[in-house]
Amino acid sequence: MTYRLPCDCGKVMLIARGAPAARAICHCHACRDLYGSIVLAATAWPAEQVERSGNDAVLEYQHPTLQMRRISCRHCGEIVHGINRLGYLIIPNARFTKHHHGVMPKELMPAMHLFYESRVFDIDDPLPKYLQGWDGERYN
């Protein structure tokens, strides 16, 4: 699959190809801090699967204490993607939903919760809930 995701004003374009490395709802403090949201539903993509054009229009914010960055359009302000400590591009699910007529593509729907130990509220769904990363202990 190929996903074309322009920012609101069209000056920055992301093209993601293939399947993401992870599809998750993250509850960590770092995502809360970087994205300004209680939870972040997003997909994580290897950098080589995502092409970004309009680089002269991007504004990059490096978190002061974490190895995380947030990329926005300097013209419209939309968050284009983030970059986590592993170098994956983190694309918020809201971007896919916006460009698919208000519906999240089924193949990109979250498959797990991460850092559920840090949650602000409980979520009652059938997805596995990992206390930290997906290679760790699950919440019962």
Side-chain angles (χ1 to χ4, degrees):
M1 293 288 299
T2 298
Y3 305 94
R4 298 178 58 80
L5 305 168
C7 68
D8 284 340
C9 70
K11 294 191 186 291
V12 180
M13 172 69 79
L14 277 189
I15 300 174
R17 292 182 174 85
R23 303 168 299 142
I25 298 171
C26 188
H27 299 264
C28 78
H29 295 287
C31 281
R32 249 183 258 155
D33 192 29
L34 193 64
Y35 296 98
S37 178
I38 293 173
V39 297
L40 178 68
T43 52
W45 298 78
E48 62 271 10
Q49 286 180 233
V50 181
E51 175 187 337
R52 185 180 72 204
S53 60
N55 289 329
D56 57 331
V58 300
L59 183 62
E60 187 169 321
Y61 170 74
Q62 172 66 53
H63 192 281
T65 59
L66 302 171
Q67 295 176 346
M68 296 175 70
R69 292 178 280 161
R70 182 182 65 225
I71 311 300
S72 303
C73 174
R74 72 173 63 251
H75 300 283
C76 66
E78 182 175 20
I79 295 174
V80 177
H81 66 83
I83 302 172
N84 71 8
R85 64 182 176 79
L86 301 174
Y88 286 104
L89 275 69
I90 306 302
I91 304 176
N93 285 1
R95 302 225 40 235
F96 291 101
T97 301
K98 180 168 62 172
H99 296 291
H100 289 88
H101 310 290
V103 177
M104 185 67 182
K106 187 164 44 167
E107 67 275 9
L108 299 177
M109 293 290 287
M112 67 186 115
H113 289 266
L114 298 177
F115 299 95
Y116 200 69
E117 184 173 72
S118 302
R119 71 192 179 282
V120 173
F121 55 86
D122 289 324
I123 296 179
D124 184 16
D125 66 19
L127 300 178
K129 295 168 176 70
Y130 294 93
L131 294 176
Q132 295 293 317
W134 66 68
D135 57 350
E137 187 180 342
R138 281 188 178 186
Y139 173 80
N140 292 323

